[in-house]
Amino acid sequence: MKKILFATLLIINNVFSQEEIPILNHYVNDFTATLSVEQRLHLERKLKKYDDTTSNQIVILMISKLEGSDLFDYSIRVAEKNKIGRKGKDNGILILIVKDYRKVRIEVGYGLEEIIPDAVASSIIRNIMIPYFKAGNFFEGLDKGISTIQDAIAGLYQAEKKDDFEVTPTLLITLFLLAIILTSLFRRMRRGVLGGWTYYGGSWHPIPRKGSWGGFGSFGGFGGFSGGGFRGGGGSFGGGGASGSW
Amino acid sequence: MKNKSLLIGCSVGAVLLIFVLIIASWAISSYNSLVSLDQEVNQTWSQVENQYQRRFDLIPNLVETVKGVAEFERETYTAVTEARAKVGQIQITSEMLEDPKAFERFQAAQDNLSSALSRLLVAVENYPQLKANENFLQLQAQLEGTENRISVERRRFNESVQKFNTAIKRFPTNVIAGTFGFGEKQYFKAVTGSETAPKVEF
């Protein structure tokens, strides 16, 4: 019995001893404390703005080392788990740096494989990023690399119109109908389920209201998403991209 | 009295009818879910095929480039060309997925080509001219990318086969699967060291 338990534990341990895949909440995730705060913010703003205007999502992950996983295996799992890029467009890119191993990988989403084929990703790594990385200048390497990627993709995708708040006739009609339904519901609720009337003394009388309804409470505002952090949009990856080392 | 027995008869009939309807709707829905699982397997399989084809198409260029520079590695690059020719002889269809022998042959040929290619890429490390050759570097990047894609698509294919095989074996869906002839499908077995993802055996 003990043996079986031990074997089970061993199997479970084997399955989970693989690298833990981080959930990324920013465009720039530096777990190596290499970038200064200003550098990180600069890149974060650049990528956030890029996402807002083009819907392409580029995310940076910097870690010190890998616990046993293969570079490619790890990078595709991070990209898949965080769903970088938009659903349907699959326009996400992950730039992974494993600093202590001096390795970098650009993982390219399905939707960008045509425009950034492996050879181009490889060339960006070798000719643009690595010369800076060799000199220890990670910020410059990333910044230039990202600009090159952005130039390559330029014009392929635009941000969805939906993102801007547009007043269309359909929207107005929907809002109008919604308002009518809500008001009638609200009235009914105030009167009680049976219409708020009761029969006594030979005739119908309205039920006197006991206490107040306390309103609907607040919805907490709608500004919850404006924090500026990264949220994956459901993009998927097929293993496109390239790796390099310096 | 007569009325009462009629009533009982009717209600028994109604219960039976409801029972039959429930069984029928269950059968239909599980048949449909098997069909969609089967389609998923075929779809993931065609992705696997695409990536293997892509690698197949890349090889001649790569071999040409290596030939030009590393004449010494004749043995290594002819091994690649031969392995590629073997891969080209194997016809692949989605019916093959239920045939263990054919699938094994397919996997063996592809894995053989993978190892021939990786030997070539290791041998090439000794040639600085190649490592400075932009054309070669790009081919190498493309080949690496294709190998990566192959491993991704193989994993997705295995996952979909796993789902399918579990579904057709599980009671009571196995009755439907048996009736309509859904057979167990083959999947890629990990070759030592070639896959990092842990495989679940069933």
Side-chain angles (χ1 to χ4, degrees), chain A residues 16-32:
Chain A
F16 290 100
S17 69
Q18 274 204 325
E19 218 82 45
E20 202 173 306
I21 305 299
I23 294 168
L24 307 179
N25 296 316
H26 303 278
Y27 293 91
V28 183
N29 305 272
D30 176 13
F31 296 129
T32 58

Side-chain angles (χ1 to χ4, degrees), chain A residues 75-83 235 237, chain B residues 152 155-156:
Chain A
S75 107
I76 185 130
R77 279 168 198 276
V78 172
E80 278 177 340
K81 182 168 182 183
N82 288 285
K83 301 185 184 310
F237 289 75
Chain B
V152 169
R155 171 161 60 83
R156 287 186 184 153

